Amino acid sequence: MKDGFIRVAAAAPKVSSADCEGNTRQILRCMEQAAAQGAALLVLPEHSITGYALGDLFLQHTLQEAAERSLCMLIEASAGIDTVVAVGLPVRRNASLYSCAAVFQRGRLLGVVPKLHLPNYAEFYEARHFRSGRGLSGSVRLAGFEAPFGADLIFECGELPDFKIGIEICEDLWVPCPPSAALAQAGATVIANLSASPFVTGKQEYRSGLVRSQSARCIAGYIYSSSGEGESSTDLVFAGHLMISENGRMLGEALRSGMIINDLDTQLLTSERRRMTTFAGDEGAFRTVPFSVERRQYDALKRPVERHPFVPEEGRLYRQRCAEVLDIQSAGLAQRLRHTHAKTAVVAVSGGLDSTLALLVAARAVRQYGLDCGISAITMPGPGTTQRTKGNADALCAELHAGLRTIPISQALELHLKDIGHGDSHDVT
């Protein structure tokens, strides 16, 4: 947790349809594994206690009670675990049934968040079994606890105020105005999505784009966990798609994998939000649920750290980025040459990298924008000039059809050194 880094995990345990006890054992293993890795948050799939592909079984009283008993077992098992866990299950409240995320830690149910948008198209028919949690607030009696209930909950860490968790469930991400946008504006820096998204051709790439995009829009960490092995028991196939993204950057992604773990930089996220003055806050409509985690320092970060953060690795993206840099510089220079009615662009050329780029940009600006402007290159060889660098400058100017003028400065430099009493010494000073 030093410097705002928070370790988070997304897991897709093997599921057996309607076998709450068996699924609970799988979830317990994930909790133990996440805790052993020092994760402060573990996100599991939608209906991970019961299984998602159950159809009308969701309406059975026996299944609903079994799910609640399993949640009670999980909460009890979390008494000695510091990790905050978000798990999916059907929850009864009054006369309605909701698809929910139960959030618990250290033997306590922190809150229950219902799904807002229920898909009832294509392969989905959730409205047959569940009701939307839109507009609902208050509390719910569940697993022996009276816990806050509603999509207006933000779970806030007392030891690290920048670590605030918001919850949305599966389809909530796919709608025009995802709940995570409002959660982020209310202060949530980490969004957890408990999902059960089927494996359909082309959908994986689209899903990844949604997660990256939403994490960028919200300037947040986004943890996505979708159902995997064991769910493919009906006409649907599930791939266990796991993702952890931060402000538009995918930190980790896996299919058919039990768990992925990465570190989010919450300090970076809050800093970016302050810098971006259009990121407006709206905290009034949300309730805060406090929780506490042990402060710890990780031996090593579980996130990719780029050696060259501003230059991609070799490949298509590298070439694309280089082309963008040239286009930006050329467009800017072309406007200035055009605005000043310049007849000649004068470029000092040494044969080194900086002057080579300057000459290339000037030539690109003149040619790409059809400017009536010549290019005059000037090279000024001195005591430090080698034949290689001088030759590079000559060859480049010839290739670009730029006029080259040579102005030697060796004698002028020797006179200057003599005037300041430096003598013949050519050291760094």
Side-chain angles (χ1 to χ4, degrees), residues 18-91:
D19 181 8
C20 295
E21 290 186 10
N23 296 335
T24 298
R25 289 192 292 269
Q26 295 290 334
I27 294 170
L28 283 171
R29 292 191 186 99
C30 292
M31 289 168 54
E32 292 167 357
Q33 182 181 348
Q37 294 285 334
L41 173 63
L42 168 63
V43 181
L44 294 150
E46 183 179 11
H47 294 300
S48 43
I49 288 180
T50 60
Y52 175 80
L54 298 185
D56 287 350
L57 275 178
F58 279 122
L59 300 175
Q60 295 297 316
H61 188 77
T62 302
L63 180 78
Q64 297 163 13
E65 287 193 335
E68 186 170 356
R69 286 196 303 271
S70 290
L71 177 61
C72 188
M73 291 173 57
L74 292 172
I75 295 172
E76 290 176 357
S78 73
I81 296 178
D82 206 39
T83 307
V84 175
V85 181
V87 67
L89 77 162
V91 172

Side-chain angles (χ1 to χ4, degrees), residues 24 27 33 82 93 101 128 130 151 164 204 217 226 233 278 318 357 367 380 385-386 399:
T24 298
I27 294 170
Q33 182 181 348
D82 206 39
R93 186 174 187 255
R128 177 183 175 96
F130 303 104
K164 300 179 182 180
Q204 176 189 341
R217 287 176 179 275
S226 185
S233 57
T278 52
Y318 174 83
L357 178 60
R367 293 174 183 175
M380 297 184 290
T385 304
T386 66
E399 184 70 24

Side-chain angles (χ1 to χ4, degrees), residues 331-380:
L333 179 59
Q335 174 59 25
R336 282 151 183 79
L337 292 173
R338 187 186 296 112
H339 184 72
T340 56
H341 304 286
K343 297 301 181 184
T344 305
V346 181
V347 184
V349 179
S350 67
L353 291 175
D354 293 340
S355 63
T356 297
L357 178 60
L359 183 58
L360 289 171
V361 169
R364 187 184 181 96
V366 170
R367 293 174 183 175
Q368 185 164 324
Y369 291 91
L371 302 180
D372 184 18
C373 180
I375 299 177
S376 178
I378 298 176
T379 182
M380 297 184 290

Side-chain angles (χ1 to χ4, degrees), residues 11-291:
K14 183 178 180 180
V15 171
S16 296
S17 296
D19 181 8
C20 295
E21 290 186 10
N23 296 335
T24 298
R25 289 192 292 269
Q26 295 290 334
I27 294 170
L28 283 171
R29 292 191 186 99
C30 292
M31 289 168 54
E32 292 167 357
Q33 182 181 348
Q37 294 285 334
L41 173 63
L42 168 63
V43 181
L44 294 150
E46 183 179 11
H47 294 300
S48 43
I49 288 180
T50 60
Y52 175 80
L54 298 185
D56 287 350
L57 275 178
F58 279 122
L59 300 175
Q60 295 297 316
H61 188 77
T62 302
L63 180 78
Q64 297 163 13
E65 287 193 335
E68 186 170 356
R69 286 196 303 271
S70 290
L71 177 61
C72 188
M73 291 173 57
L74 292 172
I75 295 172
E76 290 176 357
S78 73
I81 296 178
D82 206 39
T83 307
V84 175
V85 181
V87 67
L89 77 162
V91 172
R92 298 172 294 184
R93 186 174 187 255
N94 298 327
S96 300
L97 189 66
Y98 301 91
S99 175
C100 292
V103 182
F104 60 91
Q105 182 222 27
R106 291 182 176 178
R108 183 169 67 98
L109 181 60
L110 300 176
V112 180
V113 179
K115 188 173 185 176
L116 299 186
H117 300 90
L118 303 176
N120 221 54
Y121 58 89
E123 66 269 28
F124 301 106
Y125 49 98
E126 291 186 17
R128 177 183 175 96
H129 311 114
F130 303 104
R131 292 196 181 181
S132 168
R134 187 183 288 107
L136 298 180
S137 190
S139 64
V140 64
R141 185 71 183 172
L142 183 66
F145 292 86
E146 188 73 27
F149 178 90
D152 58 344
L153 302 180
I154 294 179
F155 305 88
E156 180 175 348
C157 176
E159 289 74 16
L160 188 64
D162 289 340
F163 181 28
K164 300 179 182 180
I165 306 167
I167 305 286
E168 63 184 7
I169 302 175
C170 200
E171 185 75 9
D172 291 342
L173 171 64
W174 297 71
V175 299
C177 299
S180 50
L183 288 165
Q185 287 185 301
T189 54
V190 178
I191 304 297
N193 187 311
L194 294 74
S195 182
S197 187
F199 203 6
V200 179
T201 302
K203 195 172 184 179
Q204 176 189 341
E205 184 178 356
Y206 187 82
R207 203 161 39 214
S208 298
L210 280 178
V211 168
R212 282 195 303 269
S213 174
Q214 195 62 11
S215 74
R217 287 176 179 275
C218 294
I219 315 179
Y222 201 103
I223 310 165
Y224 182 95
S225 177
S226 185
S227 301
E229 188 178 357
E231 281 284 15
S232 307
S233 57
T234 60
D235 56 338
L236 302 179
V237 175
F238 296 83
H241 198 179
L242 306 176
M243 290 178 277
I244 299 176
S245 182
E246 178 189 84
N247 196 19
R249 179 190 180 197
M250 191 65 75
L251 298 182
E253 183 174 11
L255 286 174
R256 307 180 189 88
S257 176
M259 181 177 294
I260 59 172
I261 298 177
N262 283 99
D263 295 329
L264 298 176
D265 188 349
T266 60
Q267 202 170 91
L268 169 67
L269 295 171
T270 53
S271 175
E272 284 297 295
R273 288 180 177 185
R274 293 189 188 103
R275 186 182 66 84
M276 193 171 177
T277 55
T278 52
F279 192 91
D282 181 19
E283 302 179 10
F286 289 82
R287 293 177 288 166
T288 299
V289 179
F291 67 92

